[in-house]
């Protein structure tokens, strides 16, 4: 064949990917022909040994053309394949570049979204940390109020116990379980119960402050991790292909077995925020409860203090009235004693005055008993003298009896006077204890604001 025409080349170019089967073997693969002497059968041909050497191992013309055609076809096919490969490589490089750029943009957008998520939880955690810190400080102030209120209850307790001890020094019959005594005992019991309540509130406040600090520490650790992560992701988001601080890290592509999932990551921060919010609300409720307790405690103590003071005032008025009445009766008794003493003196004088008439009457009777003989007569004078003596004796006996009664009455009045004076002394001592000791001591009772812990 002389060669491939344009139509054949066009057909060959239509299918550049399929290589035609060669029609002849390469020269290197052709078998070596034996040097044989060929007979010359053509016309006008010369025959001889010399011409036979030029024919040995040579190709035929059609083989030469076929070889050239094969080379042309291979060259064309190689060019076509190379051009197609270059087009594919260019397209692949363009596609790879676009894919890399798009993937990098998606990754950068994902990092940006991740930064927004981290910033959101970081802001929430920071808000909870600040709220817990503020709430802990407010609770610490309430705890300080509780401590001050507990210290302030020591003064009322000391006053009440001192009042009870002072009133034990009252003398009978004023040593009675009166209303003041009962109210003082109520006050002591009230103060003890209030102190126990305040101690429990102090324990609750200290425990809540510990929980607040623990959850604040958990939130701070989470917040610190998110700050560090935000810095890392922010730095990662700023990396560009032209950055000078980028390099290969083949081992970083592997997945971390301990890595968390986005759901677990969000739930972890959500749980921390939720627990912190719960503790903050519990702290707010505890502060409100403490404030209510302190207000009720101070009001109860001041109300009981008023009741005790009122009972003291009432008791002091009763003691003053009793002392006034005793002093009034003592004055009457003293006057009566004076009158009785005068009466006794008058009775004694009256008895002494009867001694003369009695002596006269008895002397007359004695002397008349010496009348002689018949002159010893029971005459009218004798009867009158006997009657006079009897009347005088009876009168003296009556006076002596009255004197004994008056002296007994005087002794009774003296006993009454002594009892009145003793009772007045007892009342004076009771008034001194209740008014000068107890009520004066109760003026040191703390005011409401101090009992409320301010």
């Amino acid at each position: 064949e002389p060669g491939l025409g344009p139509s054949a080349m066009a057909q060959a170019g239509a299918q550049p990917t399929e290589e035609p089967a060669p029609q002849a073997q390469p020269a290197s693969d052709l078998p070596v022909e034996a040097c044989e002497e060929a007979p010359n059968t053509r016309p006008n041909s010369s025959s001889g040994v010399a011409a036979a050497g030029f024919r040995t191992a040579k190709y035929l013309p059609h083989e030469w053309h076929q070889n050239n055609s094969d080379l042309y076809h291979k060259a064309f096919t190689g060019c076509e394949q190379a051009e197609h490969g270059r087009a594919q490589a260019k397209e692949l490089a363009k596609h790879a570049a676009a894919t890399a750029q798009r993937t990098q943009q998606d990754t950068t957008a994902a990092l940006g979204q991740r930064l927004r998520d981290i910033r959101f939880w970081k802001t929430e955690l920071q808000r909870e940390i600040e709220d817990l810190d503020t709430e802990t400080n407010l609770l610490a102030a309430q705890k300080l109020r509780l401590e001050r209120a507990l210290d302030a209850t020591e003064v009322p307790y000391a006053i009440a116990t001192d009042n009870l001890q002072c009133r034990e020094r009252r003398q009978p019959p004023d040593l009675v379980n009166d209303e003041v005594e009962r109210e003082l005992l109520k006050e002591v019991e009230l103060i003890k119960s209030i102190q126990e309540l305040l101690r429990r509130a102090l324990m609750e406040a200290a425990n809540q402050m510990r929980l607040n600090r623990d959850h604040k520490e958990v939130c701070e650790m989470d917040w610190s991790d998110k700050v560090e992560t935000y810095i890392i992701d922010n730095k990662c988001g700023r990396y560009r292909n032209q950055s000078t601080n980028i390099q290969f890290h083949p081992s970083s592509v592997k997945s971390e077995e301990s890595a968390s999932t986005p759901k677990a990551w969000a739930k972890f921060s959500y749980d921390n925020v939720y627990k912190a919010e719960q503790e903050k609300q519990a702290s707010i409720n505890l502060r409100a409860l403490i404030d209510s307790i302190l207000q009720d405690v101070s009001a109860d103590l001041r109300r009981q203090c008023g009741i005790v003071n009122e009972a003291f005032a009432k008791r002091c008025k009763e003691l003053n009235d009793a002392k006034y009445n005793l002093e009034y009766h003592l004055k009457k008794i003293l006057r009566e004693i004076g009158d009785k003493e005068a009466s006794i003196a008058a009775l004694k004088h009256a008895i002494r005055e009867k001694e003369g008439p009695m002596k006269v009457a008895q002397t007359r009777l004695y002397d008349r008993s010496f009348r002689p003989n018949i002159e010893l007569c029971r005459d009218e004078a004798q009867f009158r003298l006997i009657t006079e003596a009897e009347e005088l004796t009876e009168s003296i006996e009556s006076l002596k009896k009255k004197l004994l009664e008056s002296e007994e009455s005087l002794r009774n009045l003296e006993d009454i006077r002594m009892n009145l004076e003793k009772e007045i002394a007892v009342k004076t001592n009771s008034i001194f204890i209740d008014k000068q000791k107890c009520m004066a001591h109760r003026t040191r009772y703390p005011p409401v604001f101090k009992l409320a812990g301010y």
Side-chain angles (χ1 to χ4, degrees):
E1 294 181 3
L4 296 176
S7 61
M9 293 179 64
Q11 290 177 1
Q15 296 178 354
T17 59
E18 296 180 0
E19 183 179 356
Q23 296 179 3
Q25 292 182 353
S28 58
D29 296 334
L30 293 177
V32 180
E33 296 180 358
C35 296
E36 296 180 356
E37 186 177 350
N40 191 358
T41 56
R42 300 180 212 174
N44 300 324
S45 64
S46 62
S47 60
V49 177
F54 291 98
R55 180 66 184 86
T56 304
K58 292 184 179 179
Y59 295 96
L60 298 177
H62 74 275
E63 293 175 344
W64 179 81
H65 287 292
Q66 182 64 39
N67 184 44
N68 289 338
S69 177
D70 293 341
L71 291 176
Y72 298 154
H73 184 267
K74 287 182 180 180
F76 179 79
T77 303
C79 289
E80 288 292 328
Q81 289 178 350
E83 182 179 359
H84 183 68
R86 283 188 295 104
Q88 284 184 338
K90 183 177 180 181
E91 185 66 23
L92 181 61
K94 182 179 179 182
H95 177 72
T99 302
Q101 183 179 5
R102 184 175 63 255
T103 305
Q104 191 178 81
Q105 289 176 352
D106 294 342
T107 305
T108 304
L111 285 172
Q113 181 61 40
R114 185 64 173 174
L115 287 173
R116 286 190 291 273
D117 294 341
I118 294 173
R119 187 187 302 114
F120 169 76
W121 286 115
K122 183 167 67 71
T123 304
E124 291 294 315
L125 288 168
Q126 185 173 0
R127 178 175 59 82
E128 291 299 330
I129 290 169
E130 293 173 354
D131 291 347
L132 278 176
D133 186 60
T134 303
E135 186 59 35
T136 303
N137 293 334
L138 292 174
L139 189 58
Q142 291 291 73
K143 181 173 177 288
L144 181 61
R145 283 185 62 194
L146 283 172
E147 293 172 351
R148 289 175 179 172
L150 183 60
D151 292 338
T153 57
E154 294 297 330
V155 176
Y157 184 76
I159 290 173
T161 53
D162 181 73
N163 290 163
L164 288 171
Q165 291 172 359
C166 287
R167 298 188 93 240
E168 289 296 324
R169 296 196 293 269
R170 292 175 298 167
Q171 299 174 0
D174 281 2
L175 190 60
V176 295
N177 186 17
D178 53 4
E179 183 181 359
V180 178
E181 188 89 6
R182 293 190 295 271
E183 295 299 333
L184 280 173
L185 291 173
K186 287 182 182 178
E187 187 175 40
V188 170
E189 292 300 322
L190 176 64
I191 294 172
K192 285 183 179 179
S193 62
I194 285 173
Q195 287 177 340
E196 183 63 27
L197 177 62
L198 293 179
R199 290 191 185 96
R200 289 201 305 269
L202 275 172
M203 292 177 61
E204 289 292 331
N207 185 52
Q208 186 61 49
M209 288 175 64
R210 181 181 60 79
L211 291 175
N212 288 351
R213 292 192 180 100
D214 290 345
H215 284 81
K216 176 175 172 285
E217 183 178 354
V218 171
C219 290
E220 284 175 342
M221 291 178 64
D222 193 6
W223 178 85
S224 177
D225 292 343
K226 283 183 171 44
V227 169
E228 186 177 354
T229 303
Y230 187 87
I231 294 172
I232 292 173
D233 283 355
N234 188 37
K235 182 175 68 173
C236 292
R238 294 180 183 275
Y239 282 144
R240 296 295 181 267
N241 296 333
Q242 296 79 21
S243 299
T244 59
N245 55 344
I246 58 176
Q247 58 183 345
F248 289 106
H249 296 281
S251 61
S252 63
V253 182
K254 64 179 181 179
S255 299
E256 296 291 339
E257 295 181 359
S258 60
S260 62
T261 62
K263 185 177 180 180
W265 175 83
K267 187 176 184 302
F268 180 78
S269 297
Y270 173 80
D271 291 341
N272 289 336
V273 171
Y274 180 74
K275 291 177 182 177
E277 192 69 27
Q278 281 186 324
E279 295 303 329
K280 182 180 72 173
Q281 190 61 42
S283 182
I284 292 173
N285 295 336
L286 182 59
R287 281 196 300 110
L289 178 62
I290 290 173
D291 188 67
S292 176
I293 287 173
L294 290 174
Q295 289 182 1
D296 294 342
V297 161
S298 58
D300 291 344
L301 285 175
R302 288 304 305 181
R303 180 168 55 252
Q304 184 62 28
C305 176
I307 293 173
V308 173
N309 290 340
E310 184 179 353
F312 263 118
K314 182 179 178 182
R315 184 61 177 169
C316 287
K317 184 177 182 302
E318 292 176 352
L319 289 172
N320 284 323
D321 292 342
K323 181 173 176 288
Y324 174 79
N325 291 330
L326 290 171
E327 289 174 345
Y328 173 76
H329 288 288
L330 178 61
K331 290 178 181 178
K332 291 178 65 176
I333 289 295
L334 290 175
R335 285 196 300 268
E336 190 62 31
I337 287 173
D339 295 340
K340 185 61 69 175
E341 287 176 345
S343 175
I344 290 172
L347 286 172
K348 289 180 178 180
H349 180 69
I351 292 171
R352 286 193 301 269
E353 285 181 347
K354 296 299 183 290
E355 290 178 356
M358 178 62 74
K359 290 178 181 180
V360 171
Q362 288 181 358
T363 301
R364 285 175 179 177
L365 287 172
Y366 179 76
D367 288 344
R368 292 193 78 205
S369 65
F370 292 102
R371 288 176 297 170
N373 300 320
I374 196 70
E375 293 300 325
L376 189 62
C377 178
R378 294 192 296 270
D379 52 7
E380 184 66 27
Q382 186 71 21
F383 287 120
R384 290 298 302 165
L385 285 172
I386 293 172
T387 302
E388 181 184 6
E390 290 175 354
E391 288 177 356
L392 286 172
T393 301
E394 185 179 355
S395 179
I396 289 171
E397 291 297 328
S398 298
L399 289 173
K400 286 182 178 180
K401 184 178 179 181
K402 180 57 69 177
L403 178 61
L404 291 173
E405 292 177 357
S406 297
E407 288 175 347
E408 182 65 27
S409 177
L410 179 61
R411 285 192 297 272
N412 186 35
L413 289 174
E414 289 291 344
D415 292 340
I416 293 174
R417 178 183 67 82
M418 291 178 63
N419 290 333
L420 288 174
E421 289 176 348
K422 182 180 178 181
E423 193 65 25
I424 289 172
V426 170
K427 294 294 183 289
T428 302
N429 179 63
S430 299
I431 292 172
F432 175 76
I433 290 174
D434 285 354
K435 193 170 185 179
Q436 302 300 324
K437 289 286 187 181
C438 296
M439 294 188 71
H441 196 190
R442 294 187 70 81
T443 57
R444 297 172 51 199
Y445 209 92
V448 175
F449 70 91
K450 194 168 184 179
L451 292 172
Y454 293 108

